[in-house]
Amino acid sequence: MAGPWVGSWRPHPRRGPILAEFATPGPKYWLPGTTGHTAHDPTRYRAPAYSFRGTKCPAATSCSPGPRYFIHSSITKTGKHIAPSAHVTSRPKTKMGVTPGPSDYTTDNANKHVYQTAPASSMKFRPKDLKGFRTPGPGTYTLPRVLGPQTVNTHAEPCYSMKWKSLYQSCFQDLAKTPGPAAFANVDMDVYKKSAPKYTM
């Protein structure tokens, strides 16, 4: 039923919900899904779907009773495990024999026949002679000179020697053995200068 006119507009009953009634835009419209086969969007391509097959029925030959019976903890995969226990009977009398121990054997020499080894050289002991070795020692020989003019197997360059210092008027000379100033006589001046005229009677 229409209401009274409000100006040039007359209110009328609405046909559906309006946006103002919702706090958020929310699902204003619905689109068909694009996954699965139920209610799939007809405008979209639908890929083939495969389902998982159920498990096969167990064969009669492989059926086992399962864990329906109790297995004792002493039963193992290799048989029944029995802990060591003491016997009531006495120990049997055995004859104790003297046998060699582990330290009486050596296997070092047998390893080279069992395992592959690299060739090794061993050092032999010095032979025991009745007389000692009478060969000359290293200090008996003299090596030839390699410096100077008198060489054997090398080419000698020209050599120059320095003459020793004379001991005349040297500090190493004993001055007590030299003549002093009084040992010489005065030389006449007429010998090394022009002599004056002389007159004799």
Side-chain angles (χ1 to χ4, degrees):
M1 184 174 180
W5 287 87
V6 180
S8 61
W9 176 76
R10 184 178 182 181
H12 56 277
R14 61 184 182 181
R15 299 178 182 177
I18 60 177
L19 185 62
E21 296 180 352
F22 301 94
T24 58
K28 294 188 297 181
Y29 49 87
W30 176 83
L31 293 178
T34 56
T35 58
H37 279 250
T38 304
H40 192 276
D41 190 358
T43 60
R44 301 290 181 179
Y45 175 75
R46 186 172 60 182
Y50 302 95
S51 60
F52 291 94
R53 187 177 179 182
T55 58
K56 297 175 62 178
C57 297
T61 56
S62 62
C63 289
S64 61
R68 293 186 300 176
Y69 49 87
F70 174 74
I71 300 177
H72 197 268
S73 60
S74 63
I75 304 299
T76 61
K77 63 178 182 179
T78 57
K80 187 176 181 180
H81 174 72
I82 301 176
S85 58
H87 297 281
V88 181
T89 59
S90 61
R91 181 180 296 178
K93 296 180 180 181
T94 57
K95 185 179 180 181
M96 300 298 294
V98 180
T99 58
S103 61
D104 295 336
Y105 302 95
T106 175
T107 58
D108 296 339
N109 298 331
N111 290 335
K112 62 181 180 179
H113 301 287
V114 178
Y115 304 102
Q116 294 183 358
T117 57
S121 302
S122 60
M123 299 179 64
K124 192 176 181 181
F125 294 99
R126 180 178 295 180
K128 296 181 180 180
D129 296 337
L130 298 177
K131 298 181 180 179
F133 294 97
R134 298 183 178 179
T135 56
T140 311
Y141 305 95
T142 303
L143 296 177
R145 297 177 57 184
V146 295
L147 296 175
Q150 298 178 359
T151 56
V152 178
N153 55 353
T154 58
H155 177 70
E157 298 294 337
C159 302
Y160 304 95
S161 61
M162 298 179 65
K163 190 176 181 180
W164 60 87
K165 188 177 181 180
S166 176
L167 297 178
Y168 178 71
Q169 294 182 354
S170 174
C171 61
F172 300 103
Q173 187 180 10
D174 189 4
L175 299 180
K177 298 180 181 180
T178 58
F184 302 94
N186 293 331
V187 182
D188 191 6
M189 296 178 60
D190 295 338
V191 176
Y192 55 91
K193 286 188 176 182
K194 187 176 180 181
S195 62
K198 299 178 179 180
Y199 303 93
T200 60
M201 294 201 52

